[in-house]
Amino acid sequence: MAVNKIYKDSVAALADVLKDDMTIMSGGFGLCGIPDALIEAIRDSGVKGLTIISNNAGIDDAGLGLLLQTRQVRKMISSYVGENATFAKQFLAGELEIEFNPQGTLAERIRAGGAGIPAFFTATGAGTQIAEGKVQQEFDGRLYVQERGLRADLAIVHAWKADPEGNLVYRKTARNFNPIMATAGEITVAQVEHLVESGSIDPDHIVTAGIFVNRIVPLQTVNKRIEQRTVRPRA
Amino acid sequence: MPWTRDQMAARAAQELRDGFYCNLGIGIPTLVANHVPPGMSIQFQSENGMLGMGPFPFEGEEDADLINAGKQTVTELPTTSFFDSAASFAMIRGGHINISILGALQVAENGDLANWMIPGKMVKGMGGAMDLVAGVRRVVVLMEHTAGGKPKLLKRCTLPLTGAGVIDLVITELGVFEVAHKGRDGGLRLVDIAPGVTVEEIREKTEAPFTVAEGLRVGV
């Protein structure tokens, strides 16, 4: 294979990519399926003035919360940031900008961006303050809001399995925003739990085709945190 | 006696039909899953990317990769499927989900809903609420009738809207209201009343005018 997509760790995979004031998409929902090792490498690089596109903002001491603690983030584009007190403090102090998007609009903006679609119409948010300043148009008697496609300089994602080509498979609800973000980064870096041999993933089971993945970081250790541990008693 | 939270959830469960795909919001709506009538097949959707959501896991069987939209650990069922966020909201925005049951800060007689922000307070974001109310075919609100003694069923919402003209049914601890002409003129009609509660009492606690259905049902 002419191009080697495999990097030894997250620092090596991001070293020549990170720069101040760049836009980064980060997969995950809450702390589920987040590219934690890549986030730590971004923190350690000291790069700042970042615009981060991510459904959530992590919690104080995990996920994107790490980049908020170090004040590396200028702006968040998210749908819900309720679990992060650091976020609230910096926002109220005027140190952090936030653009709220309805979750489905955020997902579709990313999907559209990755597919080369500059804008689309949705009924979500019509007649609310989300629609203010945006083109609104009626189709078949219903009002729709125009939303723009989203792309980023860098997309960081987490996957369960990858092969050397960059074909990715995800696990359960850790899939979430990862596959769509993988399509919308100028450079996409995937951290993966298992790097497997070419041909060992059934092509019918591949969720993200390797064309969307530029770099692969096999994780040495996998750290997963549970945000809300809920259980039921055994009968 | 006004209904308890569990009785409100049980009333909401009466809106389910066999074969429905359903999305439940956080808070009282999560209780609806405990009241699915026996023999009825309902698939619960979780907008983070799961259809066919099972109950909470037994202790020791939690899986960090298996959570619901409230970030709680859940389990799979034999019907479960997983998908990405764009596909999840294609289900929601494309009208494929039959019913959404969610909480509210305010509902207006024209079906407007406010449930995502209070000006002057820290805004956490709307999550998937705006998509759910815009895209799901039938939207049911489960909420307390008043907040701090103030009515939540209003002529017009005073808080920023989550959706305009999107609500079909409102269930509170005092009664059940249908929203007529969803998205147009509106108009609330009281169809169920909690036992021992009077229409006069509800009028005192409701800013919006409403009519009373013929054959008003006294719920249990």
Side-chain angles (χ1 to χ4, degrees), chain A residues 42-86:
Chain A
I42 292 169
R43 178 195 60 189
D44 295 344
S45 77
V47 70
K48 57 185 189 300
L50 301 173
T51 295
I52 303 280
I53 302 167
S54 178
N55 189 55
N56 311 101
I59 59 174
D60 289 281
D61 62 345
L64 293 169
L66 298 179
L67 304 184
L68 294 171
Q69 279 186 349
T70 49
R71 298 174 187 274
Q72 288 167 273
V73 182
R74 183 182 63 79
K75 179 180 178 180
M76 291 287 313
I77 300 177
S78 302
S79 89
Y80 189 83
V81 297
E83 281 90 5
N84 195 316
T86 308

Side-chain angles (χ1 to χ4, degrees), chain A residues 17-208:
Chain A
V17 176
L18 297 176
K19 52 182 189 295
D20 287 349
D21 305 313
M22 74 188 304
T23 298
I24 302 176
M25 276 180 190
S26 182
F29 185 96
L31 297 181
C32 182
I34 57 170
D36 60 330
L38 293 165
I39 292 169
E40 283 174 29
I42 292 169
R43 178 195 60 189
D44 295 344
S45 77
V47 70
K48 57 185 189 300
L50 301 173
T51 295
I52 303 280
I53 302 167
S54 178
N55 189 55
N56 311 101
I59 59 174
D60 289 281
D61 62 345
L64 293 169
L66 298 179
L67 304 184
L68 294 171
Q69 279 186 349
T70 49
R71 298 174 187 274
Q72 288 167 273
V73 182
R74 183 182 63 79
K75 179 180 178 180
M76 291 287 313
I77 300 177
S78 302
S79 89
Y80 189 83
V81 297
E83 281 90 5
N84 195 316
T86 308
F87 182 100
K89 211 167 73 184
Q90 290 181 16
F91 175 76
L92 293 171
E95 299 163 353
L96 185 63
E97 200 182 326
I98 172 80
E99 178 190 314
F100 281 118
N101 282 209
Q103 194 174 142
T105 293
L106 182 64
E108 189 65 13
R109 290 184 70 191
I110 295 163
R111 195 198 70 79
I117 297 167
F120 59 92
F121 283 93
T122 177
T124 297
T128 77
Q129 67 179 44
I130 288 299
E132 285 169 17
K134 293 175 184 164
V135 173
Q136 294 194 70
Q137 193 174 327
E138 212 174 284
F139 296 92
D140 306 320
R142 190 171 182 195
L143 191 63
Y144 292 81
V145 187
Q146 188 187 71
E147 297 282 1
R148 300 292 309 270
L150 265 180
R151 290 179 79 94
D153 300 314
L154 169 67
I156 54 173
V157 302
H158 175 93
W160 182 48
K161 271 190 199 175
D163 65 14
E165 163 61 18
N167 294 313
L168 303 182
V169 178
Y170 305 88
R171 186 170 177 274
K172 303 184 191 288
T173 55
R175 186 182 306 196
N176 56 62
F177 281 83
N178 287 301
I180 49 173
M181 286 185 174
T183 70
E186 296 308 320
I187 292 181
T188 292
V189 181
Q191 65 167 54
V192 305
E193 294 178 44
H194 304 283
L195 179 64
V196 300
E197 284 178 30
S198 290
S200 66
I201 304 174
D202 184 335
D204 274 334
H205 295 174
I206 290 165
V207 176
T208 294

Side-chain angles (χ1 to χ4, degrees), chain B residues 112-160:
Chain B
D112 287 359
L113 166 73
N115 76 349
W116 80 281
M117 70 171 287
I118 300 174
K121 289 202 176 174
M122 178 59 200
V123 182
K124 294 180 173 183
M126 70 291 281
M130 285 192 177
D131 307 287
L132 284 160
V133 300
V136 174
R137 282 183 247 168
R138 185 165 167 80
V139 182
V140 174
V141 161
L142 260 182
M143 68 174 192
E144 305 288 338
H145 202 88
T146 57
K150 287 185 181 158
K152 295 171 71 173
L153 265 175
L154 307 174
K155 288 177 182 163
R156 288 291 175 270
C157 292
T158 57
L159 295 171

Side-chain angles (χ1 to χ4, degrees), chain B residues 161-198:
Chain B
L161 295 186
T162 305
V166 292
I167 301 303
D168 297 284
L169 195 75
V170 180
I171 300 169
T172 79
E173 74 277 19
L174 302 180
V176 179
F177 299 83
E178 283 177 359
V179 183
H181 312 299
K182 174 177 170 179
R184 294 188 209 97
D185 304 334
L188 298 174
R189 190 161 70 117
L190 181 67
V191 293
D192 284 16
I193 191 165
V197 173
T198 64

